[in-house]
Amino acid sequence: MHIVLLEPEIPQNAGNIARTCAVTNTVLHLIKPLGFSVEDKYLKRAGLDYWKLLDIRYYENFQDFLDKNPNAKIWMATTKAKHVYTDVTFGENDYLMFGKESAGIPEEILLQYPDTAIRIPMLEAARSLNLSNSVAIIIYEALRQQGFPGMLQEGELHRHTWAEAKPKE
């Protein structure tokens, strides 16, 4: 799968999203202009030691992204959408696009994707969720629909085993 950030502004959000991409084997696409340097200490700190696991690609603008990904099925995450993200079926090579924190995806772009614009339900009085939270919510739904390909679905204890557990009565 692919996460696309259109003109992201906050390095901590981009770093958290990069970490989410690394642990889910999701490609991260960053469309310029970026509101930070990719060498930013906050960006690196949020991603911690996951940068070596990350497949990250950069684009000069949205048209450059489209030119380099001509057959991409792009889901546009926006508070303005008519469709809820849980009501659609994601494909294994789909692109999930998110706009910049201060303005989202421009309406001129959204108008080109009416059938693939999706939203996360929230109270009307709330403006939006944090960008990195929104990415995590939608990518994990998309991966859930696909059975979490290649991902561990069970964990092990470090000092004990689950066989030692005593079920509550």
Side-chain angles (χ1 to χ4, degrees), residues 60-87:
E60 292 304 313
N61 52 48
F62 184 60
Q63 188 58 52
D64 183 35
F65 167 79
L66 291 176
D67 291 345
K68 292 178 179 167
N69 300 281
N71 298 314
K73 181 171 185 179
I74 308 169
W75 295 96
M76 300 281 174
T78 173
T79 58
K80 302 165 187 82
K82 294 181 179 256
H83 307 289
V84 174
Y85 76 101
T86 54
D87 292 339

mmCIF file of all heavy atoms in Angstrom, residues 60-87:
data_model
loop_
_atom_site.group_PDB
_atom_site.id
_atom_site.type_symbol
_atom_site.label_atom_id
_atom_site.label_comp_id
_atom_site.label_asym_id
_atom_site.label_seq_id
_atom_site.Cartn_x
_atom_site.Cartn_y
_atom_site.Cartn_z
ATOM 1 N N GLU A 60 7.889 16.837 -6.827
ATOM 2 C CA GLU A 60 7.940 18.299 -6.849
ATOM 3 C C GLU A 60 6.564 18.935 -6.637
ATOM 4 O O GLU A 60 6.459 20.014 -6.073
ATOM 5 C CB GLU A 60 8.544 18.797 -8.166
ATOM 6 C CG GLU A 60 10.017 18.454 -8.304
ATOM 7 C CD GLU A 60 10.856 18.971 -7.150
ATOM 8 O OE1 GLU A 60 10.696 20.158 -6.773
ATOM 9 O OE2 GLU A 60 11.660 18.192 -6.602
ATOM 10 N N ASN A 61 5.510 18.255 -7.109
ATOM 11 C CA ASN A 61 4.145 18.758 -6.969
ATOM 12 C C ASN A 61 3.179 17.609 -7.277
ATOM 13 O O ASN A 61 3.610 16.504 -7.608
ATOM 14 C CB ASN A 61 3.897 19.966 -7.882
ATOM 15 C CG ASN A 61 4.286 19.669 -9.321
ATOM 16 O OD1 ASN A 61 3.919 18.630 -9.877
ATOM 17 N ND2 ASN A 61 5.048 20.571 -9.933
ATOM 18 N N PHE A 62 1.886 17.870 -7.178
ATOM 19 C CA PHE A 62 0.888 16.823 -7.394
ATOM 20 C C PHE A 62 0.945 16.265 -8.814
ATOM 21 O O PHE A 62 0.814 15.062 -9.023
ATOM 22 C CB PHE A 62 -0.513 17.349 -7.064
ATOM 23 C CG PHE A 62 -1.586 16.301 -7.160
ATOM 24 C CD1 PHE A 62 -1.545 15.164 -6.364
ATOM 25 C CD2 PHE A 62 -2.637 16.442 -8.045
ATOM 26 C CE1 PHE A 62 -2.541 14.187 -6.446
ATOM 27 C CE2 PHE A 62 -3.632 15.476 -8.131
ATOM 28 C CZ PHE A 62 -3.574 14.346 -7.332
ATOM 29 N N GLN A 63 1.159 17.135 -9.796
ATOM 30 C CA GLN A 63 1.237 16.651 -11.179
ATOM 31 C C GLN A 63 2.438 15.723 -11.369
ATOM 32 O O GLN A 63 2.335 14.708 -12.063
ATOM 33 C CB GLN A 63 1.315 17.826 -12.173
ATOM 34 C CG GLN A 63 1.207 17.377 -13.618
ATOM 35 C CD GLN A 63 -0.087 16.625 -13.914
ATOM 36 O OE1 GLN A 63 -1.183 17.094 -13.626
ATOM 37 N NE2 GLN A 63 0.022 15.423 -14.492
ATOM 38 N N ASP A 64 3.557 16.027 -10.740
ATOM 39 C CA ASP A 64 4.734 15.158 -10.793
ATOM 40 C C ASP A 64 4.397 13.788 -10.198
ATOM 41 O O ASP A 64 4.763 12.748 -10.755
ATOM 42 C CB ASP A 64 5.896 15.815 -10.035
ATOM 43 C CG ASP A 64 7.183 15.012 -10.102
ATOM 44 O OD1 ASP A 64 7.471 14.375 -11.138
ATOM 45 O OD2 ASP A 64 7.929 15.039 -9.090
ATOM 46 N N PHE A 65 3.664 13.788 -9.098
ATOM 47 C CA PHE A 65 3.222 12.526 -8.487
ATOM 48 C C PHE A 65 2.360 11.736 -9.474
ATOM 49 O O PHE A 65 2.561 10.536 -9.672
ATOM 50 C CB PHE A 65 2.456 12.793 -7.188
ATOM 51 C CG PHE A 65 1.728 11.596 -6.674
ATOM 52 C CD1 PHE A 65 2.403 10.600 -5.986
ATOM 53 C CD2 PHE A 65 0.371 11.444 -6.896
ATOM 54 C CE1 PHE A 65 1.739 9.462 -5.527
ATOM 55 C CE2 PHE A 65 -0.310 10.324 -6.447
ATOM 56 C CZ PHE A 65 0.379 9.332 -5.757
ATOM 57 N N LEU A 66 1.374 12.398 -10.097
ATOM 58 C CA LEU A 66 0.497 11.720 -11.059
ATOM 59 C C LEU A 66 1.285 11.186 -12.248
ATOM 60 O O LEU A 66 1.045 10.061 -12.702
ATOM 61 C CB LEU A 66 -0.597 12.673 -11.545
ATOM 62 C CG LEU A 66 -1.655 13.083 -10.526
ATOM 63 C CD1 LEU A 66 -2.601 14.108 -11.139
ATOM 64 C CD2 LEU A 66 -2.405 11.887 -9.979
ATOM 65 N N ASP A 67 2.229 11.975 -12.744
ATOM 66 C CA ASP A 67 3.036 11.555 -13.894
ATOM 67 C C ASP A 67 3.847 10.302 -13.574
ATOM 68 O O ASP A 67 4.021 9.432 -14.431
ATOM 69 C CB ASP A 67 3.988 12.671 -14.326
ATOM 70 C CG ASP A 67 3.259 13.864 -14.940
ATOM 71 O OD1 ASP A 67 2.059 13.738 -15.298
ATOM 72 O OD2 ASP A 67 3.886 14.932 -15.039
ATOM 73 N N LYS A 68 4.347 10.204 -12.354
ATOM 74 C CA LYS A 68 5.200 9.077 -11.972
ATOM 75 C C LYS A 68 4.410 7.873 -11.455
ATOM 76 O O LYS A 68 4.978 6.804 -11.260
ATOM 77 C CB LYS A 68 6.227 9.537 -10.942
ATOM 78 C CG LYS A 68 7.235 10.490 -11.560
ATOM 79 C CD LYS A 68 8.226 11.005 -10.556
ATOM 80 C CE LYS A 68 9.219 11.927 -11.264
ATOM 81 N NZ LYS A 68 10.013 12.696 -10.306
ATOM 82 N N ASN A 69 3.116 8.041 -11.229
ATOM 83 C CA ASN A 69 2.237 6.964 -10.753
ATOM 84 C C ASN A 69 0.943 6.993 -11.573
ATOM 85 O O ASN A 69 -0.139 7.211 -11.035
ATOM 86 C CB ASN A 69 1.933 7.148 -9.260
ATOM 87 C CG ASN A 69 3.180 7.135 -8.419
ATOM 88 O OD1 ASN A 69 3.734 6.078 -8.120
ATOM 89 N ND2 ASN A 69 3.665 8.314 -8.039
ATOM 90 N N PRO A 70 1.047 6.769 -12.893
ATOM 91 C CA PRO A 70 -0.082 7.018 -13.797
ATOM 92 C C PRO A 70 -1.328 6.170 -13.571
ATOM 93 O O PRO A 70 -2.419 6.607 -13.881
ATOM 94 C CB PRO A 70 0.508 6.756 -15.188
ATOM 95 C CG PRO A 70 1.670 5.851 -14.943
ATOM 96 C CD PRO A 70 2.206 6.234 -13.592
ATOM 97 N N ASN A 71 -1.202 4.992 -13.035
ATOM 98 C CA ASN A 71 -2.370 4.133 -12.855
ATOM 99 C C ASN A 71 -2.789 3.991 -11.400
ATOM 100 O O ASN A 71 -3.495 3.050 -11.040
ATOM 101 C CB ASN A 71 -2.094 2.748 -13.456
ATOM 102 C CG ASN A 71 -1.844 2.840 -14.946
ATOM 103 O OD1 ASN A 71 -2.579 3.510 -15.660
ATOM 104 N ND2 ASN A 71 -0.780 2.197 -15.404
ATOM 105 N N ALA A 72 -2.351 4.920 -10.575
ATOM 106 C CA ALA A 72 -2.621 4.837 -9.136
ATOM 107 C C ALA A 72 -4.110 5.018 -8.838
ATOM 108 O O ALA A 72 -4.749 5.937 -9.354
ATOM 109 C CB ALA A 72 -1.824 5.898 -8.397
ATOM 110 N N LYS A 73 -4.644 4.119 -8.001
ATOM 111 C CA LYS A 73 -5.995 4.330 -7.466
ATOM 112 C C LYS A 73 -5.795 5.103 -6.169
ATOM 113 O O LYS A 73 -5.217 4.588 -5.210
ATOM 114 C CB LYS A 73 -6.720 3.018 -7.194
ATOM 115 C CG LYS A 73 -8.123 3.261 -6.659
ATOM 116 C CD LYS A 73 -8.937 2.014 -6.584
ATOM 117 C CE LYS A 73 -10.359 2.358 -6.154
ATOM 118 N NZ LYS A 73 -11.192 1.155 -6.081
ATOM 119 N N ILE A 74 -6.269 6.339 -6.159
ATOM 120 C CA ILE A 74 -6.001 7.241 -5.045
ATOM 121 C C ILE A 74 -7.274 7.471 -4.238
ATOM 122 O O ILE A 74 -8.282 7.943 -4.761
ATOM 123 C CB ILE A 74 -5.469 8.599 -5.538
ATOM 124 C CG1 ILE A 74 -4.278 8.396 -6.485
ATOM 125 C CG2 ILE A 74 -5.080 9.475 -4.350
ATOM 126 C CD1 ILE A 74 -3.853 9.656 -7.213
ATOM 127 N N TRP A 75 -7.189 7.147 -2.959
ATOM 128 C CA TRP A 75 -8.259 7.447 -2.011
ATOM 129 C C TRP A 75 -7.897 8.765 -1.353
ATOM 130 O O TRP A 75 -6.812 8.901 -0.777
ATOM 131 C CB TRP A 75 -8.391 6.342 -0.968
ATOM 132 C CG TRP A 75 -8.809 5.036 -1.555
ATOM 133 C CD1 TRP A 75 -8.000 4.001 -1.932
ATOM 134 C CD2 TRP A 75 -10.143 4.630 -1.854
ATOM 135 N NE1 TRP A 75 -8.751 2.977 -2.445
ATOM 136 C CE2 TRP A 75 -10.062 3.334 -2.410
ATOM 137 C CE3 TRP A 75 -11.392 5.236 -1.702
ATOM 138 C CZ2 TRP A 75 -11.199 2.631 -2.813
ATOM 139 C CZ3 TRP A 75 -12.518 4.530 -2.109
ATOM 140 C CH2 TRP A 75 -12.417 3.244 -2.650
ATOM 141 N N MET A 76 -8.779 9.748 -1.425
ATOM 142 C CA MET A 76 -8.537 11.080 -0.883
ATOM 143 C C MET A 76 -9.179 11.197 0.501
ATOM 144 O O MET A 76 -10.406 11.219 0.625
ATOM 145 C CB MET A 76 -9.142 12.143 -1.799
ATOM 146 C CG MET A 76 -8.594 12.136 -3.204
ATOM 147 S SD MET A 76 -7.000 12.949 -3.210
ATOM 148 C CE MET A 76 -6.485 12.661 -4.887
ATOM 149 N N ALA A 77 -8.356 11.244 1.534
ATOM 150 C CA ALA A 77 -8.878 11.371 2.897
ATOM 151 C C ALA A 77 -9.156 12.842 3.187
ATOM 152 O O ALA A 77 -8.261 13.676 3.148
ATOM 153 C CB ALA A 77 -7.867 10.809 3.895
ATOM 154 N N THR A 78 -10.424 13.133 3.467
ATOM 155 C CA THR A 78 -10.833 14.516 3.676
ATOM 156 C C THR A 78 -12.089 14.581 4.538
ATOM 157 O O THR A 78 -12.957 13.703 4.443
ATOM 158 C CB THR A 78 -11.099 15.225 2.324
ATOM 159 O OG1 THR A 78 -11.647 16.529 2.575
ATOM 160 C CG2 THR A 78 -12.064 14.444 1.451
ATOM 161 N N THR A 79 -12.193 15.618 5.331
ATOM 162 C CA THR A 79 -13.403 15.814 6.138
ATOM 163 C C THR A 79 -14.590 16.199 5.251
ATOM 164 O O THR A 79 -15.722 16.184 5.712
ATOM 165 C CB THR A 79 -13.183 16.923 7.187
ATOM 166 O OG1 THR A 79 -12.815 18.140 6.521
ATOM 167 C CG2 THR A 79 -12.097 16.536 8.182
ATOM 168 N N LYS A 80 -14.340 16.512 4.000
ATOM 169 C CA LYS A 80 -15.389 16.963 3.078
ATOM 170 C C LYS A 80 -16.044 15.823 2.294
ATOM 171 O O LYS A 80 -16.957 16.043 1.521
ATOM 172 C CB LYS A 80 -14.805 17.990 2.111
ATOM 173 C CG LYS A 80 -14.199 19.203 2.812
ATOM 174 C CD LYS A 80 -13.321 19.999 1.861
ATOM 175 C CE LYS A 80 -12.600 21.095 2.575
ATOM 176 N NZ LYS A 80 -11.390 20.629 3.267
ATOM 177 N N ALA A 81 -15.565 14.592 2.461
ATOM 178 C CA ALA A 81 -16.041 13.457 1.670
ATOM 179 C C ALA A 81 -17.448 13.010 2.054
ATOM 180 O O ALA A 81 -17.898 13.220 3.179
ATOM 181 C CB ALA A 81 -15.068 12.288 1.818
ATOM 182 N N LYS A 82 -18.102 12.348 1.124
ATOM 183 C CA LYS A 82 -19.433 11.782 1.359
ATOM 184 C C LYS A 82 -19.368 10.323 1.784
ATOM 185 O O LYS A 82 -20.330 9.781 2.282
ATOM 186 C CB LYS A 82 -20.274 11.909 0.091
ATOM 187 C CG LYS A 82 -20.569 13.347 -0.280
ATOM 188 C CD LYS A 82 -21.422 13.406 -1.534
ATOM 189 C CE LYS A 82 -21.730 14.827 -1.895
ATOM 190 N NZ LYS A 82 -23.073 15.232 -1.574
ATOM 191 N N HIS A 83 -18.226 9.651 1.552
ATOM 192 C CA HIS A 83 -18.075 8.233 1.860
ATOM 193 C C HIS A 83 -17.223 8.039 3.112
ATOM 194 O O HIS A 83 -16.206 8.701 3.289
ATOM 195 C CB HIS A 83 -17.403 7.481 0.700
ATOM 196 C CG HIS A 83 -18.076 7.694 -0.614
ATOM 197 N ND1 HIS A 83 -19.318 7.164 -0.918
ATOM 198 C CD2 HIS A 83 -17.690 8.380 -1.713
ATOM 199 C CE1 HIS A 83 -19.650 7.522 -2.145
ATOM 200 N NE2 HIS A 83 -18.688 8.263 -2.646
ATOM 201 N N VAL A 84 -17.614 7.094 3.965
ATOM 202 C CA VAL A 84 -16.854 6.753 5.165
ATOM 203 C C VAL A 84 -15.810 5.703 4.788
ATOM 204 O O VAL A 84 -16.089 4.790 4.001
ATOM 205 C CB VAL A 84 -17.802 6.220 6.272
ATOM 206 C CG1 VAL A 84 -17.021 5.714 7.473
ATOM 207 C CG2 VAL A 84 -18.784 7.309 6.673
ATOM 208 N N TYR A 85 -14.633 5.817 5.355
ATOM 209 C CA TYR A 85 -13.512 4.934 4.987
ATOM 210 C C TYR A 85 -13.807 3.453 5.218
ATOM 211 O O TYR A 85 -13.243 2.599 4.537
ATOM 212 C CB TYR A 85 -12.235 5.351 5.729
ATOM 213 C CG TYR A 85 -12.193 4.941 7.180
ATOM 214 C CD1 TYR A 85 -11.453 3.833 7.591
ATOM 215 C CD2 TYR A 85 -12.889 5.654 8.147
ATOM 216 C CE1 TYR A 85 -11.413 3.443 8.928
ATOM 217 C CE2 TYR A 85 -12.854 5.275 9.470
ATOM 218 C CZ TYR A 85 -12.115 4.178 9.856
ATOM 219 O OH TYR A 85 -12.086 3.793 11.177
ATOM 220 N N THR A 86 -14.698 3.114 6.131
ATOM 221 C CA THR A 86 -15.015 1.710 6.392
ATOM 222 C C THR A 86 -16.017 1.143 5.387
ATOM 223 O O THR A 86 -16.264 -0.065 5.379
ATOM 224 C CB THR A 86 -15.589 1.532 7.813
ATOM 225 O OG1 THR A 86 -16.694 2.423 7.974
ATOM 226 C CG2 THR A 86 -14.525 1.814 8.861
ATOM 227 N N ASP A 87 -16.582 1.997 4.549
ATOM 228 C CA ASP A 87 -17.573 1.559 3.574
ATOM 229 C C ASP A 87 -16.980 1.259 2.201
ATOM 230 O O ASP A 87 -17.713 0.963 1.262
ATOM 231 C CB ASP A 87 -18.670 2.622 3.412
ATOM 232 C CG ASP A 87 -19.525 2.757 4.665
ATOM 233 O OD1 ASP A 87 -19.543 1.811 5.470
ATOM 234 O OD2 ASP A 87 -20.154 3.820 4.824
#
